[in-house]
Amino acid sequence: MSSSDAEVACCASQDDAPLLRRVVAPSRSQWEWITSICCALSYACTYFWRYPAFVLPPDVLDVPVRGGFTLRSCISFAFIGGFAAAKLPAAHFASSRLFFRHRRTLLLSLITSSMLIEGAGLAAPHPAAKVGAVFASAFLSSFLWGCMLTYLEGRVTTERHVALATLCLIYAGNASRGALVSSSSSSSGGSS
């Protein structure tokens, strides 16, 4: 190391030291808003991996699965059935001690696993795997809203956080459907 490098390193460390002392961590209120925004946006993103199953190409969706049902109808039943089957377990889970002790970790795990299961399942070649993946993903997704509200509750600004999450929920539902309609019409040639 040359003497000029040593001088630069010495000066840099002296110049950086006061900056390190001046770094201010976000306040509790700022962390609450950061958490709220992350929860709202991550929940909004769930719509963008739930709905693509319904706009797969006709050569995929119209494949017979069993008993005269096509993949399209089986995916619809799996989607509704997954959400319906999860309601009571989700309520029990969201009010459990386990969830209260590990809320952030479990919420992130639910979001991530729901996304990965559906994504991997829809890429599977067998129709039963696609249907099973949609059911499992919908089952896990059914936990998300209640768990997110449980995570956000008990704060001074809970109503504002829930309002933000609801705004993202409303926007994401419509935006995901719009994006899917746009992508399916452009993939079919876009002729009107």
Side-chain angles (χ1 to χ4, degrees):
M1 186 154 107
S2 69
S3 63
S4 63
D5 291 338
E7 287 176 21
V8 169
C10 175
C11 293
S13 65
Q14 288 175 356
D15 291 340
D16 289 342
L19 290 177
L20 293 176
R21 287 188 210 120
R22 284 187 261 154
V23 172
V24 179
S27 69
R28 183 175 176 92
S29 174
Q30 289 169 329
W31 272 120
E32 284 185 8
W33 279 106
I34 290 169
T35 300
S36 175
I37 290 167
C38 289
C39 279
L41 292 176
S42 63
Y43 187 80
C45 287
T46 66
Y47 281 83
F48 289 92
W49 73 73
R50 278 191 228 161
Y51 292 120
F54 297 103
V55 292
L56 291 170
D59 60 320
V60 174
L61 286 177
D62 294 334
V63 171
V65 177
R66 187 168 283 161
F69 291 106
T70 63
L71 183 59
R72 180 186 321 268
S73 58
C74 289
I75 284 176
S76 294
F77 289 136
F79 190 74
I80 294 166
F83 277 106
K87 291 304 178 191
L88 291 176
H92 178 72
F93 177 75
S95 62
S96 70
R97 285 186 179 170
L98 173 69
F99 182 71
F100 277 98
R101 287 187 191 129
H102 308 286
R103 287 181 291 186
R104 185 178 315 151
T105 303
L106 291 172
L107 190 56
L108 290 173
S109 298
L110 283 169
I111 291 169
T112 304
S113 57
S114 173
M115 175 189 59
L116 292 175
I117 288 169
E118 183 142 346
L122 289 177
H126 197 275
K130 290 176 178 19
V131 172
V134 169
F135 178 86
S137 179
F139 187 89
L140 293 174
S141 292
S142 187
F143 284 62
L144 295 177
W145 183 255
C147 288
M148 185 182 69
L149 291 181
T150 302
Y151 183 72
L152 293 174
E153 75 180 353
R155 303 167 198 266
V156 174
T157 55
T158 296
E159 291 82 12
R160 293 180 192 147
H161 298 304
V162 173
L164 176 65
T166 304
L167 174 71
C168 285
L169 163 77
I170 293 167
Y171 175 75
N174 293 325
S176 65
R177 288 182 201 98
L180 293 173
V181 168
S182 172
S183 70
S184 66
S185 66
S186 66
S187 67
S188 64
S191 58
S192 304

